PDB file of all heavy atoms in Angstrom:
ATOM      1  N   TYR A  23      80.916  96.028  99.630  1.00 98.00           N
ATOM      2  CA  TYR A  23      81.732  95.988  98.417  1.00 98.00           C
ATOM      3  C   TYR A  23      83.176  96.166  98.867  1.00 98.00           C
ATOM      4  O   TYR A  23      83.498  96.476 100.022  1.00 98.00           O
ATOM      5  CB  TYR A  23      81.307  97.102  97.461  1.00 98.00           C
ATOM      6  CG  TYR A  23      79.875  96.914  96.964  1.00 98.00           C
ATOM      7  CD1 TYR A  23      78.823  97.467  97.668  1.00 98.00           C
ATOM      8  CD2 TYR A  23      79.629  96.149  95.801  1.00 98.00           C
ATOM      9  CE1 TYR A  23      77.516  97.296  97.204  1.00 98.00           C
ATOM     10  CE2 TYR A  23      78.326  95.993  95.384  1.00 98.00           C
ATOM     11  CZ  TYR A  23      77.264  96.536  96.078  1.00 98.00           C
ATOM     12  OH  TYR A  23      75.983  96.325  95.663  1.00 98.00           O
ATOM     13  N   GLY A  24      84.106  95.977  97.882  1.00 98.00           N
ATOM     14  CA  GLY A  24      85.488  96.185  98.338  1.00 98.00           C
ATOM     15  C   GLY A  24      86.510  95.815  97.302  1.00 98.00           C
ATOM     16  O   GLY A  24      86.239  95.364  96.193  1.00 98.00           O
ATOM     17  N   ALA A  25      87.792  95.969  97.783  1.00 97.00           N
ATOM     18  CA  ALA A  25      88.966  95.836  96.921  1.00 97.00           C
ATOM     19  C   ALA A  25      89.768  94.579  97.095  1.00 97.00           C
ATOM     20  O   ALA A  25      90.899  94.545  96.648  1.00 97.00           O
ATOM     21  CB  ALA A  25      89.863  97.051  97.134  1.00 97.00           C
ATOM     22  N   GLY A  26      89.175  93.563  97.787  1.00 94.00           N
ATOM     23  CA  GLY A  26      90.020  92.402  98.050  1.00 94.00           C
ATOM     24  C   GLY A  26      91.186  92.849  98.947  1.00 94.00           C
ATOM     25  O   GLY A  26      91.081  93.727  99.782  1.00 94.00           O
ATOM     26  N   PRO A  27      92.342  92.195  98.796  1.00 96.00           N
ATOM     27  CA  PRO A  27      93.455  92.502  99.700  1.00 96.00           C
ATOM     28  C   PRO A  27      94.106  93.826  99.469  1.00 96.00           C
ATOM     29  O   PRO A  27      94.595  94.476 100.374  1.00 96.00           O
ATOM     30  CB  PRO A  27      94.427  91.336  99.522  1.00 96.00           C
ATOM     31  CG  PRO A  27      94.127  90.888  98.080  1.00 96.00           C
ATOM     32  CD  PRO A  27      92.651  91.062  97.943  1.00 96.00           C
ATOM     33  N   GLY A  28      94.201  94.243  98.187  1.00 97.00           N
ATOM     34  CA  GLY A  28      94.953  95.444  97.839  1.00 97.00           C
ATOM     35  C   GLY A  28      96.408  95.129  97.596  1.00 97.00           C
ATOM     36  O   GLY A  28      96.883  94.030  97.801  1.00 97.00           O
ATOM     37  N   ILE A  29      97.119  96.130  97.106  1.00 98.00           N
ATOM     38  CA  ILE A  29      98.527  95.986  96.697  1.00 98.00           C
ATOM     39  C   ILE A  29      99.432  97.017  97.347  1.00 98.00           C
ATOM     40  O   ILE A  29      99.170  98.216  97.327  1.00 98.00           O
ATOM     41  CB  ILE A  29      98.687  96.141  95.170  1.00 98.00           C
ATOM     42  CG1 ILE A  29      97.898  95.063  94.463  1.00 98.00           C
ATOM     43  CG2 ILE A  29     100.162  96.141  94.727  1.00 98.00           C
ATOM     44  CD1 ILE A  29      97.896  95.161  92.914  1.00 98.00           C
ATOM     45  N   GLY A  30     100.454  96.529  98.057  1.00 97.00           N
ATOM     46  CA  GLY A  30     101.401  97.390  98.760  1.00 97.00           C
ATOM     47  C   GLY A  30     102.804  96.995  98.458  1.00 97.00           C
ATOM     48  O   GLY A  30     103.081  95.950  97.824  1.00 97.00           O
ATOM     49  N   ALA A  31     103.747  97.773  98.925  1.00 97.00           N
ATOM     50  CA  ALA A  31     105.171  97.468  98.700  1.00 97.00           C
ATOM     51  C   ALA A  31     105.632  96.438  99.704  1.00 97.00           C
ATOM     52  O   ALA A  31     105.164  96.350 100.836  1.00 97.00           O
ATOM     53  CB  ALA A  31     106.022  98.749  98.863  1.00 97.00           C
ATOM     54  N   PRO A  32     106.571  95.559  99.268  1.00 94.00           N
ATOM     55  CA  PRO A  32     107.149  94.617 100.289  1.00 94.00           C
ATOM     56  C   PRO A  32     107.749  95.376 101.438  1.00 94.00           C
ATOM     57  O   PRO A  32     108.466  96.345 101.318  1.00 94.00           O
ATOM     58  CB  PRO A  32     108.280  93.927  99.466  1.00 94.00           C
ATOM     59  CG  PRO A  32     107.793  94.018  98.050  1.00 94.00           C
ATOM     60  CD  PRO A  32     107.143  95.373  97.956  1.00 94.00           C
ATOM     61  N   LEU A  33     107.330  94.974 102.693  1.00 92.00           N
ATOM     62  CA  LEU A  33     107.766  95.582 103.930  1.00 92.00           C
ATOM     63  C   LEU A  33     107.300  97.041 104.019  1.00 92.00           C
ATOM     64  O   LEU A  33     107.770  97.769 104.883  1.00 92.00           O
ATOM     65  CB  LEU A  33     109.336  95.581 104.060  1.00 92.00           C
ATOM     66  CG  LEU A  33     109.964  94.176 104.020  1.00 92.00           C
ATOM     67  CD1 LEU A  33     111.459  94.293 104.142  1.00 92.00           C
ATOM     68  CD2 LEU A  33     109.406  93.272 105.127  1.00 92.00           C
ATOM     69  N   GLY A  34     106.300  97.391 103.194  1.00 94.00           N
ATOM     70  CA  GLY A  34     105.840  98.775 103.210  1.00 94.00           C
ATOM     71  C   GLY A  34     104.423  98.905 103.822  1.00 94.00           C
ATOM     72  O   GLY A  34     103.974  98.114 104.634  1.00 94.00           O
ATOM     73  N   THR A  35     103.748  99.998 103.342  1.00 94.00           N
ATOM     74  CA  THR A  35     102.371 100.270 103.770  1.00 94.00           C
ATOM     75  C   THR A  35     101.429  99.314 103.131  1.00 94.00           C
ATOM     76  O   THR A  35     101.544  99.039 101.926  1.00 94.00           O
ATOM     77  CB  THR A  35     102.046 101.722 103.456  1.00 94.00           C
ATOM     78  OG1 THR A  35     103.050 102.536 103.931  1.00 94.00           O
ATOM     79  CG2 THR A  35     100.744 102.111 104.022  1.00 94.00           C
ATOM     80  N   PRO A  36     100.428  98.780 103.881  1.00 93.00           N
ATOM     81  CA  PRO A  36     100.176  98.957 105.320  1.00 93.00           C
ATOM     82  C   PRO A  36     101.138  98.106 106.154  1.00 93.00           C
ATOM     83  O   PRO A  36     101.438  97.002 105.723  1.00 93.00           O
ATOM     84  CB  PRO A  36      98.755  98.523 105.514  1.00 93.00           C
ATOM     85  CG  PRO A  36      98.541  97.460 104.373  1.00 93.00           C
ATOM     86  CD  PRO A  36      99.312  97.978 103.248  1.00 93.00           C
ATOM     87  N   PRO A  37     101.632  98.609 107.252  1.00 90.00           N
ATOM     88  CA  PRO A  37     102.636  97.868 108.037  1.00 90.00           C
ATOM     89  C   PRO A  37     101.960  96.682 108.705  1.00 90.00           C
ATOM     90  O   PRO A  37     101.207  96.758 109.653  1.00 90.00           O
ATOM     91  CB  PRO A  37     103.130  98.882 109.035  1.00 90.00           C
ATOM     92  CG  PRO A  37     101.967  99.826 109.193  1.00 90.00           C
ATOM     93  CD  PRO A  37     101.274  99.900 107.860  1.00 90.00           C
ATOM     94  N   ALA A  38     102.323  95.466 108.218  1.00 81.00           N
ATOM     95  CA  ALA A  38     101.686  94.269 108.742  1.00 81.00           C
ATOM     96  C   ALA A  38     101.945  94.074 110.234  1.00 81.00           C
ATOM     97  O   ALA A  38     101.030  93.732 110.990  1.00 81.00           O
ATOM     98  CB  ALA A  38     102.176  93.040 107.967  1.00 81.00           C
ATOM     99  N   ARG A  39     103.153  94.317 110.688  1.00 78.00           N
ATOM    100  CA  ARG A  39     103.526  94.088 112.055  1.00 78.00           C
ATOM    101  C   ARG A  39     102.792  95.122 112.948  1.00 78.00           C
ATOM    102  O   ARG A  39     102.210  94.794 113.980  1.00 78.00           O
ATOM    103  CB  ARG A  39     105.029  94.177 112.301  1.00 78.00           C
ATOM    104  CG  ARG A  39     105.453  93.984 113.764  1.00 78.00           C
ATOM    105  CD  ARG A  39     106.963  93.983 113.900  1.00 78.00           C
ATOM    106  NE  ARG A  39     107.554  92.917 113.116  1.00 78.00           N
ATOM    107  CZ  ARG A  39     108.876  92.749 112.998  1.00 78.00           C
ATOM    108  NH1 ARG A  39     109.692  93.614 113.634  1.00 78.00           N
ATOM    109  NH2 ARG A  39     109.375  91.736 112.291  1.00 78.00           N
ATOM    110  N   GLY A  40     102.739  96.364 112.541  1.00 75.00           N
ATOM    111  CA  GLY A  40     102.144  97.429 113.340  1.00 75.00           C
ATOM    112  C   GLY A  40     100.671  97.269 113.510  1.00 75.00           C
ATOM    113  O   GLY A  40     100.038  97.741 114.449  1.00 75.00           O
ATOM    114  N   MET A  41     100.008  96.627 112.526  1.00 81.00           N
ATOM    115  CA  MET A  41      98.576  96.555 112.540  1.00 81.00           C
ATOM    116  C   MET A  41      98.053  95.139 112.875  1.00 81.00           C
ATOM    117  O   MET A  41      96.886  94.830 112.865  1.00 81.00           O
ATOM    118  CB  MET A  41      97.941  96.991 111.226  1.00 81.00           C
ATOM    119  CG  MET A  41      98.172  98.393 110.883  1.00 81.00           C
ATOM    120  SD  MET A  41      97.484  98.896 109.311  1.00 81.00           S
ATOM    121  CE  MET A  41      95.709  98.791 109.665  1.00 81.00           C
ATOM    122  N   GLY A  42      98.996  94.239 113.216  1.00 80.00           N
ATOM    123  CA  GLY A  42      98.595  92.863 113.585  1.00 80.00           C
ATOM    124  C   GLY A  42      98.073  92.125 112.357  1.00 80.00           C
ATOM    125  O   GLY A  42      97.227  91.246 112.562  1.00 80.00           O
ATOM    126  N   LEU A  43      98.502  92.434 111.193  1.00 78.00           N
ATOM    127  CA  LEU A  43      97.989  91.836 109.975  1.00 78.00           C
ATOM    128  C   LEU A  43      98.870  90.701 109.469  1.00 78.00           C
ATOM    129  O   LEU A  43     100.088  90.713 109.642  1.00 78.00           O
ATOM    130  CB  LEU A  43      97.881  92.876 108.868  1.00 78.00           C
ATOM    131  CG  LEU A  43      97.059  94.118 109.150  1.00 78.00           C
ATOM    132  CD1 LEU A  43      97.180  95.161 108.048  1.00 78.00           C
ATOM    133  CD2 LEU A  43      95.630  93.777 109.414  1.00 78.00           C
ATOM    134  N   GLU A  44      98.223  89.797 108.813  1.00 70.00           N
ATOM    135  CA  GLU A  44      99.000  88.717 108.105  1.00 70.00           C
ATOM    136  C   GLU A  44      99.407  89.220 106.747  1.00 70.00           C
ATOM    137  O   GLU A  44      98.654  89.943 106.073  1.00 70.00           O
ATOM    138  CB  GLU A  44      98.102  87.490 107.927  1.00 70.00           C
ATOM    139  CG  GLU A  44      97.591  86.880 109.264  1.00 70.00           C
ATOM    140  CD  GLU A  44      98.720  86.136 109.992  1.00 70.00           C
ATOM    141  OE1 GLU A  44      99.722  85.847 109.355  1.00 70.00           O
ATOM    142  OE2 GLU A  44      98.539  85.892 111.220  1.00 70.00           O
ATOM    143  N   ASP A  45     100.561  88.842 106.279  1.00 66.00           N
ATOM    144  CA  ASP A  45     101.016  89.301 105.005  1.00 66.00           C
ATOM    145  C   ASP A  45     100.119  88.928 103.859  1.00 66.00           C
ATOM    146  O   ASP A  45     100.047  89.520 102.804  1.00 66.00           O
ATOM    147  CB  ASP A  45     102.455  88.838 104.707  1.00 66.00           C
ATOM    148  CG  ASP A  45     103.483  89.688 105.472  1.00 66.00           C
ATOM    149  OD1 ASP A  45     103.196  90.911 105.647  1.00 66.00           O
ATOM    150  OD2 ASP A  45     104.532  89.111 105.889  1.00 66.00           O
ATOM    151  N   ASP A  46      99.376  87.741 104.022  1.00 68.00           N
ATOM    152  CA  ASP A  46      98.545  87.274 102.926  1.00 68.00           C
ATOM    153  C   ASP A  46      97.309  88.166 102.727  1.00 68.00           C
ATOM    154  O   ASP A  46      96.520  87.899 101.846  1.00 68.00           O
ATOM    155  CB  ASP A  46      98.184  85.841 103.110  1.00 68.00           C
ATOM    156  CG  ASP A  46      97.280  85.589 104.283  1.00 68.00           C
ATOM    157  OD1 ASP A  46      96.954  86.528 105.004  1.00 68.00           O
ATOM    158  OD2 ASP A  46      96.870  84.377 104.484  1.00 68.00           O
ATOM    159  N   GLN A  47      97.154  89.144 103.575  1.00 82.00           N
ATOM    160  CA  GLN A  47      96.024  90.081 103.359  1.00 82.00           C
ATOM    161  C   GLN A  47      96.315  91.068 102.270  1.00 82.00           C
ATOM    162  O   GLN A  47      95.429  91.664 101.730  1.00 82.00           O
ATOM    163  CB  GLN A  47      95.705  90.815 104.637  1.00 82.00           C
ATOM    164  CG  GLN A  47      94.786  90.021 105.611  1.00 82.00           C
ATOM    165  CD  GLN A  47      94.293  90.896 106.709  1.00 82.00           C
ATOM    166  OE1 GLN A  47      95.079  91.356 107.516  1.00 82.00           O
ATOM    167  NE2 GLN A  47      92.996  91.181 106.714  1.00 82.00           N
ATOM    168  N   VAL A  48      97.570  91.322 102.014  1.00 94.00           N
ATOM    169  CA  VAL A  48      97.968  92.342 101.060  1.00 94.00           C
ATOM    170  C   VAL A  48      98.920  91.735 100.013  1.00 94.00           C
ATOM    171  O   VAL A  48      99.902  91.077 100.406  1.00 94.00           O
ATOM    172  CB  VAL A  48      98.679  93.546 101.742  1.00 94.00           C
ATOM    173  CG1 VAL A  48      99.147  94.586 100.762  1.00 94.00           C
ATOM    174  CG2 VAL A  48      97.701  94.178 102.742  1.00 94.00           C
ATOM    175  N   ALA A  49      98.691  91.928  98.734  1.00 95.00           N
ATOM    176  CA  ALA A  49      99.621  91.529  97.700  1.00 95.00           C
ATOM    177  C   ALA A  49     100.780  92.460  97.711  1.00 95.00           C
ATOM    178  O   ALA A  49     100.599  93.709  97.750  1.00 95.00           O
ATOM    179  CB  ALA A  49      98.931  91.476  96.363  1.00 95.00           C
ATOM    180  N   ARG A  50     102.026  91.918  97.675  1.00 96.00           N
ATOM    181  CA  ARG A  50     103.212  92.776  97.686  1.00 96.00           C
ATOM    182  C   ARG A  50     104.099  92.388  96.520  1.00 96.00           C
ATOM    183  O   ARG A  50     105.212  91.768  96.787  1.00 96.00           O
ATOM    184  CB  ARG A  50     103.891  92.675  99.051  1.00 96.00           C
ATOM    185  CG  ARG A  50     102.956  93.161 100.183  1.00 96.00           C
ATOM    186  CD  ARG A  50     103.708  93.137 101.577  1.00 96.00           C
ATOM    187  NE  ARG A  50     102.748  93.469 102.656  1.00 96.00           N
ATOM    188  CZ  ARG A  50     102.479  94.722 103.067  1.00 96.00           C
ATOM    189  NH1 ARG A  50     103.017  95.719 102.489  1.00 96.00           N
ATOM    190  NH2 ARG A  50     101.645  94.814 104.057  1.00 96.00           N
ATOM    191  N   PRO A  51     103.782  92.712  95.276  1.00 97.00           N
ATOM    192  CA  PRO A  51     104.524  92.262  94.145  1.00 97.00           C
ATOM    193  C   PRO A  51     105.823  93.009  94.047  1.00 97.00           C
ATOM    194  O   PRO A  51     105.956  94.151  94.431  1.00 97.00           O
ATOM    195  CB  PRO A  51     103.609  92.592  92.994  1.00 97.00           C
ATOM    196  CG  PRO A  51     102.763  93.731  93.446  1.00 97.00           C
ATOM    197  CD  PRO A  51     102.555  93.428  94.910  1.00 97.00           C
ATOM    198  N   GLU A  52     106.876  92.273  93.527  1.00 97.00           N
ATOM    199  CA  GLU A  52     108.191  92.893  93.373  1.00 97.00           C
ATOM    200  C   GLU A  52     108.485  93.210  91.921  1.00 97.00           C
ATOM    201  O   GLU A  52     109.549  93.800  91.663  1.00 97.00           O
ATOM    202  CB  GLU A  52     109.261  91.951  93.934  1.00 97.00           C
ATOM    203  CG  GLU A  52     109.054  91.694  95.446  1.00 97.00           C
ATOM    204  CD  GLU A  52     110.133  90.850  96.028  1.00 97.00           C
ATOM    205  OE1 GLU A  52     111.070  90.443  95.280  1.00 97.00           O
ATOM    206  OE2 GLU A  52     110.122  90.556  97.266  1.00 97.00           O
TER     207      GLU A  52
END
């Protein structure tokens, strides 16, 4: 089960660069 990508702040947590993640894994609405 799960939450899909989840929602984080632009340039915020989870840190995409630090975890080797693509930005499209997390929604970052402004």
Side-chain angles (χ1 to χ4, degrees):
Y23 296 89
I29 295 176
L33 302 178
T35 308
R39 180 177 299 177
M41 297 181 67
L43 304 173
E44 300 286 343
D45 281 328
D46 66 358
Q47 278 190 293
V48 177
R50 299 185 186 273
E52 298 184 2

